[in-house]
């Protein structure tokens, strides 16, 4: 299945594609911070809700690895 991209994400990708070097790297890192923050919040939300060990392990891994970043 082909993932869909929101209008906001498509614009962000276009803006990143227009940058090079340090400007690209800085913009990329700035976009990743809220992305990882949301992933952590979503993972924390699923931890007390899930009954599947594999999903719990994935969510726990996301919290641990992305909190360290």
């Amino acid at each position: 299945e082909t993932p869909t991209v929101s209008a906001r994400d498509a614009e962000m990708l276009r803006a990143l594609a227009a940058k090079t070097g340090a400007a690209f790297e800085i913009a990329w890192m700035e976009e990743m911070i809220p992305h990882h923050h949301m992933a952590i919040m979503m993972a924390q939300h699923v931890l007390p809700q899930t009954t599947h060990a594999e999903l719990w392990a994935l969510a726990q891994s996301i919290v641990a690895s992305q909190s360290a970043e």
Side-chain angles (χ1 to χ4, degrees), residues 1-68:
E1 183 175 317
T2 303
T4 58
V5 178
S6 70
R8 186 222 176 264
D9 288 343
E11 179 54 36
M12 181 265 305
L13 290 171
R14 280 191 292 276
L16 280 175
K19 298 180 184 313
T20 60
F24 170 83
E25 292 173 355
I26 291 167
W28 183 84
M29 288 186 287
E30 289 174 343
E31 289 292 339
M32 290 305 293
I33 292 168
H35 173 78
H36 281 217
H37 186 249
M38 180 56 73
I40 292 165
M41 290 190 323
M42 291 175 69
Q44 289 171 330
H45 184 74
V46 81
L47 285 169
Q49 300 290 329
T50 188
T51 59
H52 294 88
E54 297 87 355
L55 181 55
W56 189 91
L58 174 61
Q60 188 64 37
S61 174
I62 289 169
V63 171
S65 65
Q66 294 190 18
S67 293

